Amino acid sequence: MKVIEGKPQMEYPARVPLKVIGHAHLLKAEIVASVIVAHLGPQAESDLQAGVNCKGAYLSLTFWVVLPDEHAERPLREAIHKLPGVVMQL
């Protein structure tokens, strides 16, 4: 990561975490993983194995994704947000 005039600038491709939080009975890791592959192309198999944390009625899934450029993240997040059960993303 470069810092230009006090603001960090990402270098691409960039491997970043993607956390999806939603209703445990609706949110499915395999569906989120398929959306990631559809938008970003093949990812490392280990990156598509979500870290899972469940607390009460909510499920948190953490994936690692490789963003090819600065334009890839927004459409991916918009597609994930439309999935059943998704409450928020970090």
Side-chain angles (χ1 to χ4, degrees):
M1 186 180 309
K2 294 180 182 178
V3 177
I4 299 175
E5 296 181 26
K7 293 184 179 182
Q9 300 291 316
M10 294 216 20
E11 292 183 22
Y12 293 91
R15 184 174 178 262
V16 298
L18 175 68
K19 183 174 288 233
V20 181
I21 301 167
H23 299 284
H25 66 285
L26 293 173
L27 186 59
K28 306 293 181 209
E30 56 276 357
I31 295 174
V32 177
S34 70
V35 170
I36 291 170
V37 170
H39 278 75
L40 301 179
Q43 302 287 303
E45 189 64 36
S46 60
D47 288 351
L48 292 176
Q49 302 299 317
V52 179
N53 190 2
C54 190
K55 186 145 189 160
Y58 294 95
L59 177 68
S60 170
L61 304 171
T62 303
F63 296 89
W64 283 88
V65 298
V66 176
L67 301 172
D69 57 48
E70 68 273 11
H71 305 290
E73 186 174 7
R74 184 179 184 143
L76 171 63
R77 288 188 178 273
E78 288 172 351
I80 290 172
H81 189 72
K82 293 177 184 176
L83 294 175
V86 172
V87 174
M88 75 166 65
Q89 299 175 59
L90 304 172

